[in-house]
């Protein structure tokens, strides 16, 4: 078992055991090359109940090879763009010179901001801007040098594990652990845009929880909020979804993102689910105080029982409400005598039954 903390402090929030899920909204390329639209997205995320707005910090020449992609017959989302992949990535860069203004704006409106950095300079920039945590995208899980570099910043890390094997997750965790940074959260993810609900494999969260004893979450690209809700039910403490103002806008991320109303509904349903989860102790709650009587049975006189008459199986019956002796004690009173006259339909109490001599 790994020795990871059960709670991690990210900014003002505690993430982990007995804490509400930390809900991240990734704006991806949905700012459409417009800083003001990025700000509108951040405000909409805050208003929808999100905890953090996340951007992606990359420079096209440092993340994709145009020649490499051109040599492939792409069948997935990258192949659907109809243009060179490196050109698309160049168009959707979040300019480095915008980062400071964007992060300051998020602070002004009262929402946390962070980024998934995709090169070493981006990691350093995030550090200079004072991010509360680093998000590491699934695609970099085998880039051990980057994992180590981020871990050595000694800030909480949220690592997505899409399109990876358990052995690769083991290796990534080992790299991070060697730095001494234990503030790690592990996200299950299916890296496709959109991903299929039937591929979600939410039960991987239980595998991670058992194998690593670590805080878990889910970075989801499937339609609706089904996967996040299932994940929260299995103990996910971080949920990530892509966010847009309008699914119909042109761009590589809009169509698989949640609009504000959808996102707000997801947040509401997650909070309702969390309140429904409870603490695990089985007890009778306040609203059941009457129900526990009206829906349970007790022993009643099935016919008139005279004082001194012996109680038999024939002259008692189990009926609601539970105002008398519980049915589980029926055989304990059979053969004993009544202390008073008991009319048919009356509940039997222990005071009505003579003690065994």
């Amino acid at each position: 078992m790994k020795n990871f903390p059960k709670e991690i402090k990210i900014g003002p929030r505690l993430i982990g055991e007995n804490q509400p899920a930390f809900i991240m909204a990734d704006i991806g390329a949905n700012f459409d090359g417009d800083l003001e639209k990025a700000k509108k997205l951040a405000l909409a995320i805050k208003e929808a109940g999100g905890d953090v707005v996340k951007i992606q910090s990359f420079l096209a020449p440092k993340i994709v090879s145009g020649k490499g992609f051109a040599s492939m017959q792409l069948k997935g989302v990258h192949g659907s763009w109809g243009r060179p992949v490196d050109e698309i990535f160049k168009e959707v860069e979040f300019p480095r010179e915008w980062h400071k203004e964007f992060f300051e704006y998020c602070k002004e409106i009262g929402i946390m901001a962070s980024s998934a950095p995709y090169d070493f300079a981006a990691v350093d920039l995030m550090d200079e801007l004072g991010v509360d945590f680093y998000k590491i995208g699934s695609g970099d899980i085998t880039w051990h040098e980057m994992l180590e570099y981020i871990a050595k910043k000694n800030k909480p890390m949220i690592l997505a594990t899409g399109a990876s094997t358990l052995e690769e997750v083991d290796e990534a965790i080992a790299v991070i652990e060697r730095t001494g940074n234990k503030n790690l959260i592990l996200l299950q993810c299916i890296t496709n845009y959109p991903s299929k609900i039937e591929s979600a494999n939410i039960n991987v969260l239980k595998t991670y929880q058992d194998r690593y004893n670590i805080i878990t979450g889910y970075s989801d690209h499937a339609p609706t909020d089904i996967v996040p809700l299932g994940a929260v039910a299995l103990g996910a403490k971080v949920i990530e979804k892509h966010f847009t103002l309008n699914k119909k806008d042109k761009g590589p991320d809009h169509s698989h993102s949640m609009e504000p109303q959808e996102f707000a509904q997801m947040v509401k349903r997650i909070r309702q689910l969390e309140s429904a989860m409870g603490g695990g102790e089985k007890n009778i709650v306040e609203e059941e105080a009457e129900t526990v009587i009206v829906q349970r049975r007790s022993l009643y006189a099935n016919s008139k029982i005279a004082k001194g008459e012996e109680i038999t199986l024939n002259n008692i019956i189990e009926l609601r409400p539970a105002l008398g002796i519980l049915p589980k004690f029926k055989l304990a009173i059979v053969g004993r005598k009544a202390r008073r006259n008991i009319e048919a339909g009356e509940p039997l109490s222990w005071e009505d039954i003579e003690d065994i001599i």
Side-chain angles (χ1 to χ4, degrees), residues 10-63:
I10 294 182
R13 284 284 309 274
L14 281 175
I15 314 298
E17 200 170 62
N18 301 318
Q19 300 296 332
F22 185 63
I23 302 178
M24 300 195 298
D26 185 352
I27 67 173
N30 293 337
F31 62 98
D32 297 331
D34 184 345
L35 177 57
E36 292 308 309
K37 186 167 185 177
K39 292 178 180 179
K40 288 179 182 178
L41 284 158
L43 182 58
I45 291 163
K46 175 181 168 56
E47 291 174 343
D51 294 306
V52 59
V53 53
K54 196 204 82 180
I55 61 172
Q56 298 180 23
S57 302
F58 59 80
L59 299 174
K62 291 188 176 184
I63 192 172

Side-chain angles (χ1 to χ4, degrees), residues 280-351:
E281 296 179 2
K282 179 58 183 167
N283 48 39
I284 297 170
V285 300
E286 183 180 353
E287 66 185 273
E288 295 178 309
E290 183 177 284
T291 307
V292 75
I293 297 172
V294 301
Q295 288 199 356
R296 288 186 178 183
R297 299 170 188 254
S298 66
L299 299 176
Y300 283 76
N302 195 29
S303 58
K304 182 175 180 179
I305 304 172
K307 181 178 179 180
E309 184 180 345
E310 185 176 293
I311 307 295
T312 69
L313 290 174
N314 291 328
N315 60 18
I316 56 175
I317 187 172
E318 300 90 344
L319 297 174
R320 298 178 180 182
L323 297 176
I325 298 170
L326 296 179
K328 64 182 179 180
F329 297 113
K330 179 168 68 173
L331 295 182
I333 69 169
V334 168
R336 294 162 70 174
K337 296 181 178 179
R339 278 192 170 134
R340 67 174 181 89
N341 291 326
I342 305 171
E343 298 297 325
E346 281 191 70
L348 276 65
S349 68
W350 289 107
E351 289 75 20

